[in-house]
Amino acid sequence: MERVRRAVDRIRREGAPAPEWAVVLGTGLGALGDEIDVEATVPYGAIPDFPPATVEEHEGRLLLGSIGGRSVAAMSGRYHRYEGHTLGEVTFPIRVLRELGATTLVTSGAAGGMEPLWERGDLVLISDHINLMGDNPLVGPNVEEQGPRFPDMSEAYHAGLRRRAREAAVQMGVQVREGVYAGVTGPNLETPAEYRMLRTLGADLVGMSTVPEVIVARHAGMRVLGTAVVTDMCLPDDLEPVEVEDVIRVAGEAAPTLSALVRRVMESEGDE
Ligand code: HPA
């Protein structure tokens, strides 16, 4: 908590309003940040205990501002397990954003699609997840002040937020999918046998992020809206090689629609 508070103190020095919403901008989805009326930008390197960002396509800065009158803190760039960070490091910013005041977390990310009827470029609302990272960010002594030792995960992804996202999609005339996200460490993509296994386990999507952040957000009592863009189709009997450039491009093409959707969900707060 001391480390969290030190980071919070540094961010508060920017003088931006306390965020109600926290947003994680995933691979290729930085355009979500364009929706924000930015009041302050803090490079991760300036925040105590934020690990240095190690992946080039991620910018590594915290954007503070508002969207449609709601205060927001957005992570432009996130930390991944495959970079060598511990899950504690990967999720440290979530602790910080919670302590800053955020009570809702929106995540986004690129993911492989295993539901055969889906297509590359589809937007997905995550309905549930399977943690296959072989690790958990909550391992270790529990800080009671942050959350319970054995947090409930019966509704990790908030059904009300998901319903509002579906309604927003209808209003916008865009299609959204809904499915289960399997979180893996990567960095390699999966073999056909692994995709077959993941599908058998009940997953519709697979990706290398989201799950640790959501576990910590739920531990801290935050509501979560999880989103993903299907950047490649992962059908074991019809698998094509994936280039990371394609993943980033497809995510980037979907980003404006996803941004507009998230903005609408935020604007509809209090309408229900
Ligand atoms: N597997 C894991 N992570 C991913 C994939 C995938 O196929 N596509 C995008 N992120």
Side-chain angles (χ1 to χ4, degrees):
M1 277 311 287
E2 227 170 87
R3 290 170 55 228
V4 169
R5 287 201 191 97
R6 246 201 337 252
V8 165
D9 286 346
R10 170 62 189 85
I11 295 163
R12 283 201 178 128
R13 267 203 271 140
E14 299 292 330
E20 301 163 73
W21 290 63
V23 182
V24 179
L25 309 175
T27 304
L29 296 167
L32 256 165
D34 299 345
E35 298 279 331
I36 302 173
D37 297 318
V38 178
E39 291 184 32
T41 301
V42 198
Y44 291 169
I47 307 173
D49 282 314
F50 267 45
T54 48
V55 178
E56 289 145 40
E57 64 262 23
H58 296 156
E59 292 175 50
R61 56 206 177 107
L62 191 64
L63 310 175
L64 302 164
S66 59
I67 297 181
R70 307 246 156 234
S71 57
V72 56
M75 292 182 62
S76 180
R78 60 143 65 93
Y79 301 104
H80 297 90
R81 177 73 190 95
Y82 63 73
E83 294 167 290
H85 301 299
T86 65
L87 292 188
E89 288 168 343
V90 166
T91 56
F92 180 72
I94 306 298
R95 295 282 182 212
V96 171
L97 296 178
R98 174 73 193 91
E99 187 65 17
L100 265 178
T103 52
T104 306
L105 174 69
V106 180
T107 70
S108 60
M114 295 180 292
E115 156 60 67
L117 297 179
W118 292 0
E119 285 173 35
R120 197 157 75 149
D122 279 353
L123 297 182
V124 187
L125 304 173
I126 300 175
S127 58
D128 205 348
H129 76 216
I130 304 174
N131 177 14
L132 291 173
M133 293 199 171
D135 195 2
N136 192 299
L138 304 181
V139 166
N142 186 56
V143 181
E144 282 296 323
E145 199 185 337
Q146 291 179 329
R149 171 76 288 188
F150 302 108
D152 179 70
M153 290 292 269
S154 59
E155 191 187 308
Y157 298 82
H158 195 270
L161 287 173
R162 213 154 66 238
R163 180 176 46 73
R164 276 161 52 194
R166 278 196 305 269
E167 286 165 4
V170 169
Q171 286 166 6
M172 292 166 61
V174 302
Q175 173 176 254
V176 287
R177 310 294 196 173
E178 206 162 310
V180 175
Y181 179 105
V184 297
T185 63
N188 61 280
L189 300 185
E190 286 67 31
T191 64
E194 287 167 341
Y195 286 128
R196 197 174 288 112
M197 173 193 76
L198 293 168
R199 185 80 190 130
T200 306
L201 290 178
D204 302 297
L205 288 164
V206 54
M208 304 175 197
S209 64
T210 305
V211 166
E213 289 121 314
V214 171
I215 290 173
V216 164
R218 290 302 300 143
H219 178 248
M222 300 172 82
R223 298 184 303 173
V224 175
L225 176 66
T227 70
V229 175
V230 176
T231 54
D232 51 289
M233 283 306 292
C234 308
L235 306 178
D237 299 307
D238 184 25
L239 197 58
E240 286 166 21
V242 175
E243 302 284 346
V244 71
E245 293 76 21
D246 289 332
V247 168
I248 293 167
R249 180 181 49 79
V250 174
E253 284 167 5
T257 311
L258 184 57
S259 309
L261 187 78
V262 170
R263 166 190 273 275
R264 277 178 185 257
V265 173
M266 292 178 66
E267 286 173 347
S268 69
E269 183 86 335
D271 284 358
E272 70 261 59

